Amino acid sequence: MKKLINGVESVLEESLNGFARAHSNIIQFNHQPHYVTRKNKPENKVALISGGGAGHEPLHTGLVGKGMLDAACPGQVFTSPTPDQMLMAAQEVENGAGVLFIVKNYAGDVMNFEIAAEMLDCPHETVLVNDDVSLPKNHSTGRRGVAGTLIVEKIVGAAAEAGADLAACKQLGDKVVNSTASMGVALTSCTVPALGQPTFDISDNEVEMGVGIHGERGREVMSLTTADDLVHILAKAIDEELKPTKDQRVLLHINGFGATPLMELYLVYDLAAQFFEERGIKIVRSLVGNYTTSLDMAGCSITLTLMDDEMLQYWDAPVHTAALRWGI
């Protein structure tokens, strides 16, 4: 294992210290327990809180700021944050309009956010993100929350910034989740520092189709083939799930897992855009880059969101975070 770290025990704390120094104009970092909060929070605004295991940066800490999250709770690498992190973060950022938790559908995250919500003495709601269509809807643990989480946080974050109340933010969040589908492919595994070796074995001539963002097994291990073939498999699964009609406006998001260069991600974008445009679908917004990563995994995911006027308005609204910023 080759990593730029001092020690397995200190890597998260030191990384968060660096993040806080680099973005001290946007966020502040609470050390015990770990959570990141937005600076200059407006009064009487629904507070948006998310979180999950570290290793997916910039999700979620890099999405704290104006127009997105008010707080993010990072757990240890690929490990759910604890209820006390979520509770203390919520108590710090709640300012009279209630709290909306945005939770990826993983057992630990769901359980710990539920515990925190039960202890929270203010109005609260939860949006559960489960956009990974590599698993069937009736899977025993449900579908996983993956790169579509960013889309939810951006659109709902803008609505909260504009003054939407808790019920409206919850309703909008559920609408975005139901309009979003994602699927990824891994070319390599990733290495969790505490483990010191790849999470799963994959040969040089294989890919993991439908991989999860923690290196979970997907639909199948298949032989490495062309980008054309891989993108077609991913896009076809998404198309069959969402069933967009001709002239439907969409947002197309190509997300890198951490070790795939932008040159390849833009190639994937071009192929995916061709797939959907050939079917009469209108790509009106796009996002390409490493946003929901899996440490040093090579590979990417495709996310498609069916957009309407309301969602487009909130996607375009100003945002100022470490990882996303426009209109400021």
Side-chain angles (χ1 to χ4, degrees), residues 121-306:
D121 188 23
C122 72
H124 57 270
E125 293 284 358
T126 296
V127 171
L128 186 66
V129 184
N130 54 2
D131 55 309
D132 186 357
V133 299
S134 67
L135 300 176
K137 284 185 177 179
N138 60 356
H139 190 269
S140 58
T141 59
R143 286 175 163 172
R144 302 174 293 223
V146 288
T149 309
L150 176 148
I151 313 298
V152 177
E153 292 174 354
K154 172 63 186 81
I155 292 175
V156 181
E161 199 78 30
D165 64 19
L166 182 58
C169 288
K170 158 70 173 170
Q171 183 178 29
L172 178 60
D174 289 340
K175 181 172 80 168
V176 179
V177 170
N178 292 330
S179 303
T180 300
S182 304
M183 188 165 157
V185 60
L187 281 63
T188 69
S189 182
C190 55
T191 301
V192 176
L195 187 61
Q197 61 188 32
T199 304
F200 60 89
D201 295 321
I202 190 165
S203 69
D204 290 342
N205 63 348
E206 292 178 328
V207 299
E208 182 75 40
M209 181 58 65
V211 71
I213 58 173
H214 307 97
E216 304 97 330
R217 288 295 185 183
R219 287 189 174 185
E220 62 175 323
V221 176
M222 57 180 286
S223 297
L224 177 63
T225 182
T226 63
D228 264 323
D229 290 343
L230 295 175
V231 169
H232 184 86
I233 293 170
L234 297 173
K236 186 171 182 287
I238 291 168
D239 185 61
E240 290 175 349
E241 174 69 25
L242 292 178
K243 297 179 174 60
T245 56
K246 186 180 178 181
D247 293 328
Q248 169 68 53
R249 295 171 296 172
V250 301
L251 183 158
L252 177 59
H253 173 31
I254 307 301
N255 171 67
F257 287 149
T260 295
L262 277 171
M263 181 176 70
E264 295 175 32
L265 296 181
Y266 279 111
L267 183 155
V268 168
Y269 177 86
D270 187 50
L271 296 173
Q274 290 178 47
F275 177 95
F276 291 113
E277 287 171 349
E278 286 169 359
R279 287 155 177 77
I281 298 160
K282 294 184 176 180
I283 301 169
V284 294
R285 298 294 185 273
S286 60
L287 183 69
V288 180
N290 292 288
Y291 291 99
T292 305
T293 61
S294 302
L295 292 169
D296 54 351
M297 182 185 288
C300 70
S301 60
I302 298 175
T303 297
L304 197 75
T305 300
L306 309 182

